[in-house]
Amino acid sequence: MRASEKIIEGLLWLSAVITILITIGIIWVLLSESIGFFQVVPLSEFLTEKEWTPLFADKKFGIMPLVAGTLLTTGVAIAVALPIGLTIAIYLNEYAHDRMRLVVKPLLEVLATIPTVVYGFFALTVVTPFLQTIIPSLAGFNALSAGIVMGIMIIPMISSLSEDAISSVPRSLREAAYGMGSTRLQTSFGVMVPAASSGIVVSVILAISRAVGETMIVAIAAGQQPRLTLNPLVPIETITTYIVQVSLGDVPRGSLEYKTIFAAGITLFVFTFALNNLSFWIKKKYQEKYD
């Protein structure tokens, strides 16, 4: 028995070490390749220049257009996913019967299993033509349809995590609200949601992190035109889309243009790393703790 426990302990330790080593390896690759880029392009130019044209004759290396495109599609996605996901979480926890819950939750999980390339083609061939009937000025590639479909994709993440957060609120709070004459709607939004706010905020931050790192939907439906804009009706380019564009093999390996994908990659890594740590900090500091 002790020998088997030691083997299991060793395997768990090995898994943890492998995870740490892989993370260190990723950071090392990004940093080592990015150093060569920043030796040629000053960091100040990279952060402040308003154009991104490393593949053109007139090369500009400002990351802001890619960051703007990433934040634009992410903003649209959260605007779609947050109200729908939170509403679903409240419905499942406060209104749905057990049978309905058993049906709805697996259906939501189906959305998370659909390949993102399918979502991308759905955005390009279904959502964009539909939106063009409502907004004639909408371009064929645009941030709006890509953001909407990304929002649909991350609904299960927000609804599942938010539902777990609401479920963890003590039943005594709900009963106290009913005892004071509150309706089910008042109890849901006036008591349960505020009490579970830390978990809900964490779910939103994790969903933002997922949307920031999304690749195929924006690569297919949003276009490949880096521009510093907040207009969701025009083509844009995100950080992940640019990495895909350069990684296709048309750019010579080792060139400055090739090294731009590592500079963009480390920017993306900083974004997701900051968001994940922010969610961990919020959960640790503000999550309600009950006996």
Side-chain angles (χ1 to χ4, degrees), residues 11-33:
L11 291 175
L12 293 175
W13 179 86
L14 181 62
S15 299
V17 170
I18 290 174
T19 302
I20 295 172
L21 291 177
I22 290 174
T23 303
I24 294 174
I26 292 172
I27 296 174
W28 169 254
V29 171
L30 289 174
L31 287 176
S32 60
E33 294 290 345

Side-chain angles (χ1 to χ4, degrees), residues 37 52-56 60-61 63 66 70 215 218-219 223-224 226 236-248 251 256-265:
F37 172 81
W52 179 261
T53 57
L55 305 181
F56 292 13
K60 300 290 182 63
F61 297 97
I63 195 65
L66 298 184
T70 301
T215 303
V218 290
Q224 296 182 356
I236 53 91
E237 187 170 36
T238 66
I239 297 175
T240 53
T241 302
Y242 176 76
I243 294 174
V244 170
Q245 180 185 1
V246 176
S247 300
L248 293 177
V251 176
L256 181 62
E257 293 82 0
Y258 179 79
K259 291 180 180 179
T260 57
I261 65 174
F262 295 98

Side-chain angles (χ1 to χ4, degrees), residues 18-287:
I18 290 174
T19 302
I20 295 172
L21 291 177
I22 290 174
T23 303
I24 294 174
I26 292 172
I27 296 174
W28 169 254
V29 171
L30 289 174
L31 287 176
S32 60
E33 294 290 345
S34 299
I35 288 173
F37 172 81
F38 288 114
Q39 287 175 344
V40 179
V41 180
L43 181 62
S44 58
E45 178 184 347
F46 181 74
L47 296 176
T48 59
E49 175 64 48
K50 297 181 180 179
E51 293 184 38
W52 179 261
T53 57
L55 305 181
F56 292 13
D58 182 18
K59 301 183 185 303
K60 300 290 182 63
F61 297 97
I63 195 65
M64 290 305 297
L66 298 184
V67 172
T70 301
L71 295 180
L72 180 59
T73 53
T74 300
V76 174
I78 294 300
V80 171
L82 178 57
I84 297 176
L86 186 56
T87 301
I88 292 173
I90 293 172
Y91 170 76
L92 290 176
N93 195 269
E94 299 296 320
Y95 292 90
H97 297 292
D98 291 338
R99 289 184 179 179
M100 179 62 69
R101 191 180 294 111
L102 291 175
V103 172
V104 173
K105 292 197 74 171
L107 289 178
L108 284 174
E109 297 303 323
V110 170
L111 291 177
T113 63
I114 298 175
T116 56
V117 66
V118 175
Y119 277 118
F121 280 109
F122 176 74
L124 182 63
T125 60
V126 177
V127 177
T128 295
F130 172 74
L131 291 177
Q132 285 175 330
T133 62
I134 303 173
I135 311 173
S137 61
L138 184 69
F141 296 99
N142 60 86
L144 182 60
S145 60
I148 290 174
V149 174
M150 270 208 306
I152 295 173
M153 179 191 69
I154 62 177
I155 283 174
M157 177 178 290
I158 293 180
S159 62
S160 178
L161 295 177
S162 296
E163 201 267 336
D164 290 341
I166 296 173
S167 298
S168 66
V169 176
R171 186 176 181 84
S172 58
L173 288 180
R174 182 188 292 108
E175 293 173 348
Y178 288 146
M180 296 179 66
S182 299
T183 64
R184 183 175 292 184
L185 183 64
Q186 291 172 331
T187 301
S188 299
F189 287 93
V191 177
M192 304 303 291
V193 171
S197 59
S198 60
I200 294 172
V201 170
V202 168
S203 73
V204 173
I205 294 175
L206 292 177
I208 292 174
S209 180
R210 174 69 180 86
V212 166
E214 173 53 36
T215 303
M216 292 310 301
I217 296 176
V218 290
I220 294 173
Q224 296 182 356
Q225 298 183 25
R227 61 178 74 194
L228 189 60
T229 181
L230 295 177
N231 182 6
L233 306 182
V234 298
I236 53 91
E237 187 170 36
T238 66
I239 297 175
T240 53
T241 302
Y242 176 76
I243 294 174
V244 170
Q245 180 185 1
V246 176
S247 300
L248 293 177
D250 297 332
V251 176
R253 183 180 179 86
S255 62
L256 181 62
E257 293 82 0
Y258 179 79
K259 291 180 180 179
T260 57
I261 65 174
F262 295 98
I266 200 167
T267 303
L268 184 64
F269 177 82
V270 169
F271 268 105
T272 54
F273 182 79
L275 288 170
N276 289 337
N277 279 274
L278 178 62
S279 66
F280 177 79
W281 179 80
I282 290 175
K283 183 177 181 180
K284 183 178 180 181
K285 186 174 179 64
Y286 293 104
Q287 187 174 23

